[in-house]
Amino acid sequence: MAQVPQTFFDALAVRTWCGLALRALGRAREEIDAINVYPVADGDTGTNLYLTLESAATAVEAVFAGYGTGTGEPSLADAVHAMAHGALIGARGNSGTILAQLLRGMAQVLADAPGSETSHVGGAGLRLALRRAADSARQAVAHPVEGTVLTVASAAAEAAEGAEGDCGTVARAAYDGARTALAATPGQLPVLGRAGVVDAGGRGLVAVLGALVEAFTGETVREAPALSVVADGPAAGETPGAPHAGGAVDGAGTADGGAREAHACVAAVSDAGPSAGPCADGSGTAGPSYEVIYLLEADDTAVARLRERLDALGDSLVVVGGDGLWNVHVHVDDAGAAVEAGVEAGRPYRIRITHFAIGDVHTGGERHPRERVQRAVVAVVPGEGLAGLYTEAGATTVLARPGEPPASGELVQAVRRAHAREVVLLPNDAELRHTAAAAAEQVRTEGIRVALIPTRSAVQGIAALAVHEPERRFDEDVVQMTAAAGATRYAEVVVAERQSWTTAGICQAGDVLGLIDGDVAVIGPDVTATAATVLDRMLQAGGELVTLVVGDEAPENIAEHLDMRVRESYLAVDTVVYRGGRQGTLLLIGVE
């Protein structure tokens, strides 16, 4: 259905743009993954861009939901701040991190433009926003390289600056400029020229700008070609204008064979030996072994020092963000040193370390796809401690930070990463059930058999994982895991952030709340005493095993105190204690 044109940039335009861009990246994801040869040929650029944009779109939707029905809508400043923050905390990979900074740069201008606090801005504001986006993204990259998404973003900004008119006119000029620049990237970056493809990150940005045009005009733009077209005249034996990689390009500029041809081109580069493996400068020299990404809470001075240290450790360094929150991305050989540098600068969290395996990505050697395992468990966990516990038990984990629930795309990626024919999915949070269901539905279309067990707490997930037996028939295993989770009552102990009505009465900010099966059951002044009361109430209904998951901010001796209480008052009950790390709650309790 055609979109209603938006003459000005307002909150609704932001929402519409994010939705259209997410769909555009969803359609182009596989093709973009297939042409991903720079900075490493790991085939995930399209996926990373999609996950980053999904996080931005989710944040914008949350702002609109916060206004409810009949209470108006957010201001432009509210919407773009949400978009930028969502992209920042959800950025994935080198391309996603740069996209997050592009959106942040736009948000900085749009939020401060005249009229942004109340209504909208016009074409002049969009021109400035696109320029700020391109400049801030280039500044975030330690060593900018031409022929990449940075080049495409700069071309979009330059084309927009020459356009006069409303937002639709400016967006169309930016899109056309970006599309032209994208077609030229194979001639700027040797590794792209060898593969016969355009830059994957730039291709993704063109899709995002195409969605911007559609948001303002209601018109669907032409898709950008993934395969390069010879610009400097035909090579020997080629017809003028023929695609360099062998795909036919029609009058609309789309590539026939798209992702399939691109896969062949990328494979040719990978099989050409070590000299064909891309590095930071596009010269083809083998690069570092690990990708390290984390969010970082730190001040500007500390981040400046961090940039210098990480630049000395590796390549593909991108640091984006500001106002005390940053997203750090770097390729290194010493992943531990990259994380330690973050610890010295501030508080790193949501740390992701990916190993570029031997014979893959940087090295350019022959790749042998590993065989799928028969069955795997994928679980969402609220803290690093539990992530370690689940991983030791054989599960693939998705880390959920307080206030930052994973998006469905992250769960899809985790299921793919598990590389199994059958997957048991444990959301471990009642609020994530629909997100997990959407992820399960998506991966089923890829031929993966998925069972979703509606676990509402990580302690229910622990119980399910304890009875998991991969050798059993899939249905039997799921039944046993579901039964174990359902037989586990769960509770948590938290501190109230504000005054509120609860099922146990009125609580004040700073009160300790004990929640049993999701409802507030106890309000008290002391963490340990409240936890003991909660535990007593749970054990009144019986139980054989108590599971305690202790957060970093819980009192030091709370586990010992509760363990002693159980041993003294409930003789037939055992207790097991785990350290949950920064899990968002002081204490999780399970009774089964």
Side-chain angles (χ1 to χ4, degrees):
M1 184 173 65
Q3 296 292 320
V4 178
Q6 298 270 142
T7 306
F8 295 99
F9 216 141
D10 58 8
L12 183 58
V14 175
R15 186 186 200 182
T16 302
W17 177 33
C18 286
L20 290 171
L22 189 61
R23 287 195 285 275
L25 288 174
R27 291 192 301 269
R29 181 185 62 79
E30 290 187 9
E31 176 194 309
I32 296 173
D33 282 346
I35 64 172
N36 173 202
V37 298
Y38 180 83
V40 288
D42 48 355
D44 63 357
T45 291
T47 299
N48 287 336
L49 289 169
Y50 180 87
L51 292 176
T52 302
L53 210 290
E54 183 182 46
S55 183
T58 299
V60 172
E61 289 299 326
V63 168
F64 272 85
Y67 276 76
T69 304
T71 56
E73 65 179 34
S75 67
L76 173 59
D78 290 335
V80 294
H81 279 314
M83 175 186 72
H85 181 73
L88 178 66
I89 64 174
R92 299 290 185 274
N94 187 74
S95 55
T97 307
I98 293 174
L99 175 60
Q101 189 68 0
L102 287 167
L103 296 179
R104 177 180 172 82
M106 290 188 68
Q108 288 174 327
V109 171
L110 295 173
D112 293 337
S116 63
E117 288 296 333
T118 55
S119 180
H120 57 253
V121 300
L126 179 56
R127 286 197 299 271
L128 294 174
L130 290 168
R131 169 49 63 192
R132 175 74 67 85
D135 291 347
S136 61
R138 189 170 287 270
Q139 291 164 7
V141 178
H143 301 285
V145 175
E146 297 306 325
T148 66
V149 63
L150 299 178
T151 304
V152 176
S154 294
E158 184 174 347
E161 287 172 337
E164 295 293 337
D166 61 14
C167 286
T169 302
V170 174
R172 170 68 71 176
Y175 172 76
D176 290 341
R179 199 169 184 276
T180 299
L182 176 67
T185 56
Q188 296 172 293
L189 200 57
V191 68
L192 300 180
R194 286 195 297 270
V197 297
V198 297
D199 179 67
R203 170 67 180 86
L205 179 58
V206 168
V208 171
L209 291 173
L212 186 64
V213 174
E214 187 174 354
F216 287 124
T217 68
E219 301 173 4
T220 302
V221 300
R222 295 180 300 167
E223 294 289 337
L227 306 181
S228 69
V229 177
V230 177
D232 298 327
E238 288 185 337
T239 302
H244 182 64
V249 178
D250 62 26
T254 56
D256 207 10
R260 183 172 61 255
E261 288 286 350
H263 272 299
C265 295
V266 174
V269 172
S270 295
D271 293 341
S275 64
C279 72
D281 59 5
S283 63
T285 305
S289 300
Y290 296 93
E291 178 184 59
V292 178
I293 306 173
Y294 49 80
L295 291 178
L296 177 70
E297 293 178 356
D299 60 36
D300 292 2
T301 302
V303 169
R305 292 195 299 268
L306 175 66
R307 289 179 192 269
E308 294 180 2
R309 181 167 178 188
L310 292 179
D311 192 26
L313 286 175
D315 62 30
S316 297
L317 173 61
V318 185
V319 181
V320 304
D323 301 321
L325 180 62
W326 309 81
N327 192 307
V328 179
H329 170 280
V330 67
H331 294 172
V332 294
D333 281 320
D334 189 345
V339 175
E340 287 175 7
V343 173
E344 292 178 6
R347 185 176 80 87
Y349 59 100
R350 291 186 72 169
I351 300 168
R352 295 181 180 85
I353 300 174
T354 303
H355 181 223
F356 297 133
I358 296 175
D360 200 358
V361 293
H362 279 299
T363 60
E366 184 179 354
R367 293 189 284 180
H368 302 282
R370 61 188 177 99
E371 184 69 22
R372 286 186 180 273
V373 297
Q374 182 60 31
R375 190 174 307 159
V377 176
V378 173
V380 179
V381 292
E384 293 91 344
L386 279 178
L389 172 68
Y390 272 73
T391 300
E392 288 176 7
T396 298
T397 61
V398 178
L399 190 61
R401 305 300 307 181
E404 301 170 10
S408 63
E410 292 180 75
L411 301 187
V412 169
Q413 279 295 93
V415 172
R416 291 172 179 157
R417 196 166 68 244
H419 206 62
R421 298 181 182 90
E422 302 168 339
V423 172
V424 180
L425 186 56
L426 306 175
N428 291 339
D429 186 337
E431 299 294 327
L432 287 178
R433 182 172 181 178
H434 294 300
T435 300
E441 189 65 28
Q442 181 173 341
V443 294
R444 286 187 185 114
T445 64
E446 301 174 11
I448 302 173
R449 189 180 184 187
V450 182
L452 171 61
I453 298 178
T455 48
R456 294 174 290 173
S457 170
V459 291
Q460 288 189 324
I462 291 173
L465 200 55
V467 301
H468 168 55
E469 291 186 13
E471 294 77 17
R472 269 195 301 235
R473 288 179 53 248
F474 184 63
D475 291 339
E476 292 178 0
D477 197 27
V478 171
V479 167
Q480 293 299 320
M481 294 177 72
T482 302
T488 302
R489 282 162 288 148
Y490 65 97
E492 58 183 305
V493 178
V494 300
V495 176
E497 296 180 353
R498 59 185 179 276
Q499 184 186 58
S500 179
W501 288 90
T502 76
T503 51
I506 301 175
C507 71
Q508 305 295 328
D511 283 348
V512 181
L513 307 180
L515 292 82
I516 300 177
D517 293 335
D519 294 322
V520 177
V522 181
I523 301 174
D526 179 75
V527 174
T528 302
T530 301
T533 302
V534 169
L535 186 56
D536 285 340
R537 291 195 183 183
M538 296 179 75
L539 287 173
Q540 285 174 2
E544 299 176 354
L545 177 66
V546 172
T547 301
L548 303 175
V549 183
V550 184
D552 279 351
E553 297 181 0
E556 185 175 351
N557 298 320
I558 189 171
E560 290 79 359
H561 178 86
L562 296 177
D563 182 33
M564 182 66 69
R565 188 181 188 87
V566 171
R567 280 190 283 166
E568 291 177 350
S569 304
Y570 307 93
L571 300 181
V573 180
D574 294 322
T575 304
V576 59
V577 179
Y578 301 110
R579 298 291 168 180
R582 294 188 294 271
Q583 61 183 20
T585 59
L586 300 173
L587 180 70
L588 293 174
I589 303 174
V591 174
E592 52 185 300

